Amino acid sequence: RDRSFAAGGFEPGARVLPEETAVAISYNGTTQAVMMATPADLDDFARGFTLTEGIARPEEIESITPVETDRGIDLQIWLRPQAEARIAARRRTMAGPVGCGLCGIDSLEEALRTLQPVAASALRLTPVQVGAAVGALSSQQPLHDATRAVHAALFWTPLQGVVAAREDVGRHNALDKLAGALAGQSLSDGAVVLTSRVSIDMVQKCAAIGAPVLIAVSAPTA
């Protein structure tokens, strides 16, 4: 029987758990990576992972088809021929747990890959605006409110507030889903806001989508 601790004692009660599913990411018939992820917003996940990993631009994606299997979900992504060479260059060779964004990368060059510089932005945020962006997280995490076990990523602008938000058991997955939801939009006027620490791979992903500002509730790594 489930028990929860509240008001100094244990009491019976149900607990909601976030679903964690094996999601394979396949390009042109070949599996590139297998990530443990929340099985929601998978079209965004496919587009965002493809973009932030430097495999293809959104316009180079021809189709995305999620196929359910006995073991998980296979996201079958078909790319235009000019993007195929990047698949081999960005090859992953093993499954990635939720905490790792570089699992399976088979060279130091790919782990610390050079990215295109983020375009100049006139965006300047005051401390109050940064606080407002972080404060917006609380209203954009329904799955976290129910489970206390998932991460969130959102895009916030001073004029619009929250433009889009996504949740996932994996911090990288949440950011990839956000990237997919924002694909094709200019991000020069806002900030990505994360519930996770700022590790190098999270910075790489934000740079890949062109976000000029990254805000997180946790600390950066060196």
Side-chain angles (χ1 to χ4, degrees):
R1 184 173 62 175
D2 294 328
R3 296 193 303 165
S4 60
F5 185 83
F10 287 97
E11 58 184 35
R15 181 178 179 87
V16 178
L17 301 178
E19 193 170 351
E20 185 178 7
T21 302
V23 178
I25 300 175
S26 301
Y27 295 106
N28 294 9
T30 301
T31 299
Q32 180 82 358
V34 181
M35 310 300 290
M36 299 307 297
T38 302
D41 302 307
L42 292 180
D43 189 83
D44 289 338
F45 185 34
R47 293 182 188 279
F49 182 91
T50 302
L51 172 62
T52 64
E53 291 294 316
I55 293 169
R57 305 294 300 173
E59 62 271 16
E60 294 176 315
I61 298 175
E62 291 185 340
S63 66
I64 300 170
T65 304
V67 177
E68 293 193 23
T69 74
D70 292 339
R71 297 297 184 93
I73 300 172
D74 187 0
L75 283 177
Q76 297 185 358
I77 307 165
W78 291 90
L79 303 178
R80 293 181 179 176
Q82 63 266 31
E84 285 191 278
R86 299 189 206 112
I87 299 176
R90 194 62 180 162
R91 182 167 60 89
R92 286 172 179 258
T93 57
M94 60 182 289
V98 296
C100 177
L102 295 175
C103 290
I105 294 298
D106 60 2
S107 74
L108 291 175
E109 289 75 16
E110 283 304 312
L112 302 174
R113 70 190 191 276
T114 300
L115 297 166
Q116 291 294 322
V118 176
S121 170
L123 179 67
R124 299 293 184 272
L125 298 178
T126 67
V128 171
Q129 289 174 318
V130 171
V134 172
L137 283 167
S138 61
S139 64
Q140 302 297 320
Q141 299 184 79
L143 185 57
H144 176 73
D145 291 343
T147 66
R148 301 295 175 184
V150 299
H151 280 290
L154 63 82
F155 188 71
W156 183 93
T157 74
L159 292 178
Q160 296 174 274
V162 178
V163 176
R166 294 291 185 269
E167 291 185 282
D168 196 278
V169 290
R171 57 197 175 96
H172 308 93
N173 302 340
L175 180 53
D176 282 337
K177 288 179 178 181
L178 177 68
L182 297 170
Q185 300 183 43
S186 172
L187 305 186
S188 62
D189 60 347
V192 169
V193 187
L194 305 175
T195 59
S196 65
R197 68 184 183 275
V198 184
S199 54
I200 186 171
D201 41 345
M202 300 295 277
V203 175
Q204 288 173 336
K205 287 179 180 292
C206 286
I209 65 176
V213 175
L214 171 56
I215 302 169
V217 301
S218 186
T221 63

